[in-house]
Amino acid sequence: MDRARQAPPGDRPRRRGAELADLPESARDGWWFHYGRALAAVARTAPPRVLDLLDAYPPSRFPRSLDGALGVLAEADPARLLRYLAGPWRQGLSGCLTPAVLRTLARSGAPELAAYARGAAERPRELAALLAAQAPADRPATYETAVAGRGAAHHGVDPLVLDVLPRRYVTDVARRAAAAARARGAAWSTVLFSASYLPPAEIRKTLLDATRRPAAEDRAFGWQQYLRNAARTGDPAQVTEAAAESARRLRNEQDPVRGQAVRALADDVRPALWRTASLPHLSRIVRDAVDARDCSHETRSALTRLALGVLRAHAAGPDREPVDWGLATLVALHGHTGAVDLGRLDRTLRRGQEHQVHAALRRHIHAEAEKNDYRLLLGLARAVGRRADAMTELQDMLRTAAEHGDDSTAREAIRLWLEPRATRAERVEQILTIEPSAAALPCVAEAVAVHRTDLLDLLLTGRPPYGRFLRDKSPWVFPVGGPVVRRWLPRQQRAYLQQLKSCADDAGLDTWRRAEAIRCAAFVPEGGLALVRRWVDAPDVALAEAALGALGRTGDDLPLLLGHAGGDRARVAVYTATQATRHVRPSRLEPLLAELLTGPGKKVTSRKEAARLTATRLPAPMAAPLLARAFAAPDAHRDVRAACVAFAAYGLLGEDAAWEILAAAAGDSESVLRGAALRLAPLDLPRAHRVRYAALVAAVADTDDDELAALALTELASWAPWSPEAPALLSRALTDVERLDTARWQAAASGLVRAATRSDAGTDTLCAALTTLMDHGAAPDAGKERDRPAYRRVEHVAGLLAAHTPRAKLQRTVALAVARLLAARDPFVVRAAEILVGAVDLTEQGLRELAALHADRPALASRVAGRLRERLRREAEGATTARPWPTPSPRQGPTRRACSRGR
């Protein structure tokens, strides 16, 4: 086992850091991915250690596994996290910042905040989130820092940013932006949008003129800006004036114009700004919109949102007129108040205000109750949540609704009436007294099963409680089972088991109901499992599989389950046996698994699952020899042997038997077995085993099977630091132009490029391979279909290097070495320039070297200039200059993933 895993938790970052220091720079991404979750746990207790590792051995991207620990890291060292946000990790990291993390950073006062704000200025959403996290008094200074040097017309203005700036300050920003937009001849809508942030007295006439433009879409935009301008003031008088203007002029407008105005009223105006004086104007707007022949669904939805917003905002206030208006508007729109969604009032109201809301709605609730309509009552009960427990009158109305409402109303009312925990036991008895068939409702049955087990006898014996919720002659089984049954008295358990038995035996019932009864019987302590065992050989597939699936909660039935591993029910039996193995001692489990692995008459899938259980459930000294016997069995299926190979590498490499399996697989003629030896990545193994495993990978890669070679050569590059022969093997595969299999030589090319970034010897090998290929000459030498294979391979390697950006120092060294090598050969000067533009240092000497390749090549100069411009732009933003370096995605081995899923 890896010694770092045996270390105390506080010492693990130091040991992991020592391991990270031994890795080549280009292999760090895989390390951070592999140990990311462990480091996230360490970050919560020792954040400085994780930050030190990030500084000393930075990956190319910020590890996504640390996203959940950003809050702890921000509190520990906000300056360092802000430096990360302003550097190459910004693009991937900024999208993971929660409001709490942003608040910590924005209010830290760290000098690095300015650099982050300047980088965020190019992304309005990011800058708006940063400003919103600050105190309002600090936002102007941060905004000025962010846009400093970008000009007054910095990409115009964005509502996300302007909406979070203080009201007094945003006026100056908007005035400058509007003036700059006019000066550069921007569209009238751009100017109007900027000007809409000015005070109403200054801009009202201009906005109203926009609502009179000849084009409908222009008028719609004008109404939107006019109403938003009034809403931004936060002044009820301004909002009322805007509503009055809208009511006077929207009657004869088209629906696209009217709908835009209504959406602005519903979505942009805070409902609390509507006062009694504005209600007549809103009523006229609603009436005119509903009466219009072209009124759209979107417009009616906006009117509904407007009515609900007013209702929610004023329900706890002293004025009753807004509440009455909101309910009346809902009736006008839908014919009834319906299932009014009042939102989560328990999260928005102060403690005690729920009584004011009830008082405001009481008259309407009683009026609807007289018509046997309790939807408004139920909506209020849902909205106030647990606060309804202390609202006596509301609880009394819920009982009335449960007793006199229709079936759907009664179901919901009973559920809400049983919510208070203090009175649940008493109320469930009252409900059963009023309507015994309510026992069929899940909420009632759960309350009886948990809180009032004394009522169970009436529901488990005698005549079923037929009534409104349980139709006459319907099958009856108490609808709550599971572990709670163990809390009942023995006589109640026996009675419940008898119900389940009758249901399972009734061939006239639906199969799913009978199968559910069998599954529930497994939880009854006395006699339940015996009932389940009766059905494991049932001719009905659903019933038999339900019984097998219910037997995995103890280890007693493991032999029975494994006995079905060779039959048609193996898909369920073996899966359930996997659960049962958790309850069996290894000494008892080992012979059972041995029989499943090597015994006769078992399905291949069952044997493969047995191989997994052997590796995960048995101690390594037991598991490795058992897998070795299964692998060496003369009649073993190929897939079973491959599973033995894969699982032998999972935690068993401390045993010689596991290495014997891997060595035999690496030399086997079956490509499936040889491929199974490639399942692990370097970081899946302790350091002590990596050299030995790398030799196995190299042995598999040296094969005549092109498909297997392509896979092995791709993996071999990851093992290059532990395999001295890897670069030479990759070079031979690349330079062997007699082999024309594209997948093989392309895998070798990609692997050799990656191996070169891990050592100086790899760089020399890559350059030597390219020299060998270029020495083949330019003459056609591969027939009509695949001409000039050597040159095609050189072009492919050059394309890999040109398409990606070298981040690490050794990666840059490789790119420069290859570029200079290619520049010496005229056919490859273009490729050399494309590589050099991403790798060269942007100094005078480096730029001169790049420019020297463009003599008498104007088209190349133009193309490279564009790429250089893009690189400069990205580096100015603190981002990477191109796509990442060609490295396969860090991964766990398939074996470990399969084992972690418990499959």
Side-chain angles (χ1 to χ4, degrees):
M1 182 180 291
D2 191 347
R3 293 181 62 187
R5 295 181 184 175
Q6 298 174 330
D11 197 39
R12 287 178 186 172
R14 182 178 61 81
R15 291 185 177 272
R16 292 300 182 201
E19 179 180 354
L20 183 56
D22 294 338
L23 290 176
E25 190 174 358
S26 56
R28 289 176 184 169
D29 285 356
W31 186 94
W32 281 100
F33 179 87
H34 190 82
Y35 295 113
R37 287 196 295 178
L39 290 171
V42 172
R44 293 179 174 86
T45 56
R49 295 192 177 188
V50 176
L51 291 170
D52 290 342
L53 283 177
L54 287 169
D55 286 342
Y57 311 105
S60 60
R61 297 180 181 86
F62 188 83
R64 301 309 300 266
S65 54
L66 294 181
D67 289 351
L70 286 176
V72 180
L73 298 178
E75 292 178 359
D77 196 338
R80 243 196 290 198
L81 193 55
L82 284 167
R83 283 202 302 272
Y84 300 158
L85 285 165
W89 292 340
R90 180 178 59 79
Q91 285 183 325
L93 187 56
S94 58
C96 305
L97 301 179
T98 64
V101 175
L102 264 177
R103 197 157 43 245
T104 301
L105 298 175
R107 304 188 181 190
S108 65
E112 291 80 2
L113 183 63
Y116 172 53
R118 284 191 291 270
E122 289 291 336
R123 292 166 176 77
R125 187 177 299 276
E126 190 175 330
L127 179 59
L130 174 63
L131 294 173
Q134 287 188 305
D138 297 332
R139 295 174 190 175
T142 301
Y143 178 79
E144 293 293 345
T145 300
V147 301
R150 296 177 181 266
H154 166 55
H155 290 287
V157 289
D158 191 279
L160 293 174
V161 176
L162 295 183
D163 287 344
V164 298
L165 292 175
R167 194 176 304 157
R168 293 182 180 179
Y169 174 71
V170 75
T171 300
D172 297 332
V173 175
R175 187 176 286 110
R176 294 197 304 267
R182 290 192 197 94
R184 68 174 183 268
W188 72 270
S189 57
T190 302
V191 178
L192 185 70
F193 173 75
S194 302
S196 68
Y197 283 83
L198 298 176
E202 184 176 342
I203 196 61
R204 183 174 186 272
K205 183 180 182 303
T206 303
L207 293 172
L208 287 176
D209 289 343
T211 64
R212 297 184 176 93
R213 293 179 69 92
E217 58 270 20
D218 293 345
R219 296 197 303 275
F221 181 77
W223 278 112
Q224 182 188 55
Q225 301 310 314
Y226 171 65
L227 294 171
R228 286 179 175 177
N229 175 264
R232 291 187 192 105
T233 65
D235 183 1
Q238 294 287 345
V239 171
T240 299
E241 182 180 355
E245 183 71 20
S246 303
R248 284 195 301 270
R249 297 180 48 209
L250 286 177
R251 175 181 176 84
N252 296 320
E253 271 289 5
Q254 305 175 27
D255 185 75
V257 179
R258 185 191 314 109
Q260 188 74 355
V262 171
R263 284 190 288 274
L265 292 171
D267 301 332
D268 297 324
V269 180
R270 286 190 297 113
L273 296 178
W274 298 117
R275 296 291 189 266
T276 302
S278 62
L279 298 181
H281 309 305
L282 294 180
S283 296
R284 182 174 178 182
I285 293 172
V286 173
R287 185 171 61 254
D288 292 343
V290 173
D291 291 343
R293 296 179 60 187
D294 62 345
C295 183
S296 64
H297 172 72
E298 290 77 9
T299 300
R300 296 181 72 93
S301 297
L303 292 172
T304 301
R305 294 197 302 273
L306 175 63
L308 286 174
V310 172
L311 179 61
R312 293 168 184 165
H314 296 275
D319 295 336
R320 294 291 178 264
E321 289 84 354
V323 176
D324 295 340
W325 179 87
L327 292 172
T329 300
L330 290 174
V331 172
L333 290 170
H334 305 289
H336 50 75
T337 58
V340 177
D341 181 13
L342 297 174
R344 292 299 303 270
L345 296 180
D346 55 335
R347 296 181 179 178
T348 58
L349 298 180
R350 296 190 304 274
R351 180 65 65 178
Q353 281 190 311
E354 62 274 8
H355 296 284
Q356 299 175 26
V357 175
H358 185 208
L361 299 177
R362 181 182 291 113
R363 178 168 58 88
H364 301 280
I365 291 175
H366 283 283
E368 293 191 355
E370 292 178 358
K371 298 180 290 185
N372 204 33
D373 187 349
Y374 296 94
R375 286 176 291 187
L376 182 58
L377 170 70
L378 300 179
L380 176 61
R382 286 190 294 266
V384 298
R386 295 187 62 181
R387 297 192 191 185
D389 298 0
M391 302 171 67
T392 306
E393 184 179 352
L394 179 66
Q395 293 294 323
D396 293 341
M397 288 290 294
L398 285 174
R399 173 171 177 168
T400 302
E403 188 172 356
H404 300 291
D406 57 30
D407 288 354
S408 61
T409 297
R411 291 172 187 272
E412 182 68 4
I414 289 172
R415 185 187 69 81
L416 292 170
W417 197 51
L418 289 178
E419 282 291 325
R421 298 178 181 177
T423 57
R424 188 176 300 166
E426 175 187 351
R427 290 180 177 183
V428 73
E429 183 178 11
Q430 297 179 31
I431 289 174
L432 291 176
T433 301
I434 297 171
E435 180 54 62
S437 67
L441 302 179
C443 59
V444 176
E446 182 181 358
V448 172
V450 177
H451 301 284
R452 290 299 301 270
T453 56
D454 58 306
L455 301 176
L456 279 169
D457 295 289
L458 298 175
L459 303 173
L460 295 176
T461 58
R463 185 176 182 274
Y466 294 125
R468 67 188 299 191
F469 299 115
L470 183 67
R471 291 180 299 175
D472 195 19
K473 298 183 180 180
S474 297
W476 167 246
V477 175
F478 188 69
V480 173
V484 71
V485 176
R486 301 189 182 105
R487 304 171 57 181
W488 299 352
L489 296 176
R491 71 169 186 274
Q492 295 168 340
Q493 294 173 355
R494 289 192 295 270
Y496 178 61
L497 186 62
Q498 183 59 39
Q499 283 188 344
L500 296 175
K501 180 178 181 301
S502 300
C503 180
D505 291 341
D506 191 346
L509 297 181
D510 294 332
T511 301
W512 69 266
R513 193 183 297 275
R514 300 172 66 193
E516 182 62 23
I518 293 171
R519 282 189 286 268
C520 290
F523 291 97
V524 180
E526 296 295 332
L529 290 177
L531 174 61
V532 173
R533 294 187 191 106
R534 285 177 44 205
W535 291 93
V536 295
D537 295 317
D540 189 299
V541 175
L543 299 181
E545 291 188 348
L548 289 170
L551 293 176
R553 296 179 179 86
T554 68
D556 297 337
D557 293 304
L558 183 58
L560 172 63
L561 293 169
L562 294 181
H564 287 78
D568 293 337
R569 307 291 174 262
R571 59 182 181 180
V572 177
V574 175
Y575 175 79
T576 309
T578 299
Q579 304 175 28
T581 56
R582 300 173 182 174
H583 311 288
V584 180
R585 295 190 306 272
S587 59
R588 181 186 166 205
L589 182 60
E590 193 269 343
L592 296 175
L593 292 178
E595 172 63 21
L596 183 58
L597 257 178
T598 59
K602 301 298 188 292
K603 288 184 174 291
V604 171
T605 53
S606 300
R607 295 186 191 276
K608 290 166 64 178
E609 179 65 10
R612 189 190 73 82
L613 293 174
T614 299
T616 56
R617 297 284 195 262
L618 297 181
M622 281 186 181
L626 180 53
L627 289 177
R629 291 202 306 272
F631 178 82
D635 58 344
H637 191 275
R638 178 186 59 185
D639 291 347
V640 176
R641 299 182 71 202
C644 292
V645 175
F647 289 112
Y650 176 70
L652 302 181
L653 292 183
E655 303 297 322
D656 291 337
W659 285 106
E660 292 172 2
I661 295 174
L662 295 176
D668 199 280
S669 59
E670 287 279 1
S671 60
V672 173
L673 298 182
R674 304 184 74 181
L678 304 175
R679 297 292 183 91
L680 295 182
L683 293 175
D684 289 328
L685 294 179
R687 282 182 286 181
H689 298 320
R690 289 176 189 169
V691 173
R692 191 173 180 182
Y693 197 89
L696 280 174
V697 176
V700 174
D702 192 9
T703 178
D704 292 332
D705 186 331
D706 289 332
E707 183 178 355
L708 178 61
L711 175 63
L713 290 170
T714 300
E715 296 296 326
L716 183 60
S718 301
W719 294 94
W722 301 276
S723 176
E725 67 271 23
L729 184 58
L730 292 165
S731 176
R732 287 200 303 272
L734 177 62
T735 57
D736 185 2
V737 294
E738 299 300 325
R739 286 187 175 274
L740 299 180
D741 184 78
T742 303
R744 181 188 185 110
W745 69 256
Q746 285 186 352
S750 177
L752 188 55
V753 170
R754 289 164 50 207
T757 64
R758 286 162 165 77
S759 66
D760 294 333
T763 305
D764 296 338
T765 305
L766 175 61
C767 292
L770 292 175
T771 301
T772 301
L773 291 172
M774 290 188 292
D775 287 343
H776 271 265
D781 58 359
K784 296 180 179 179
E785 296 183 0
R786 295 188 178 185
D787 196 16
R788 303 174 67 185
Y791 268 38
R792 290 178 65 244
R793 299 181 191 200
V794 175
E795 289 278 346
H796 181 76
V797 172
L800 289 175
L801 294 170
H804 301 85
T805 299
R807 296 189 185 94
K809 180 179 178 181
L810 194 53
Q811 292 173 346
R812 191 177 297 269
T813 301
V814 172
L816 290 174
V818 172
R820 289 162 183 162
L821 178 66
L822 297 180
R825 306 287 183 106
D826 186 71
F828 301 105
V829 170
V830 173
R831 286 298 191 182
E834 293 174 350
I835 297 172
L836 204 59
V837 72
V840 71
D841 292 330
L842 299 181
T843 61
E844 181 179 357
Q845 180 180 356
L847 293 175
R848 286 185 181 278
E849 181 182 5
L850 180 61
L853 300 179
H854 299 81
D856 300 325
R857 298 176 186 267
L860 176 62
S862 175
R863 187 163 66 249
V864 171
R867 294 190 60 181
L868 183 60
R869 186 184 306 111
E870 180 69 11
R871 174 181 172 181
L872 291 171
R873 185 186 69 80
R874 289 179 176 272
E875 290 188 356
E877 295 177 4
T880 56
T881 59
R883 290 182 292 165
W885 190 260
T887 303
S889 300
R891 62 175 179 83
Q892 289 179 321
T895 303
R896 175 164 297 190
R897 290 200 301 271
C899 292
S900 66
R901 291 194 298 264
R903 287 172 27 182

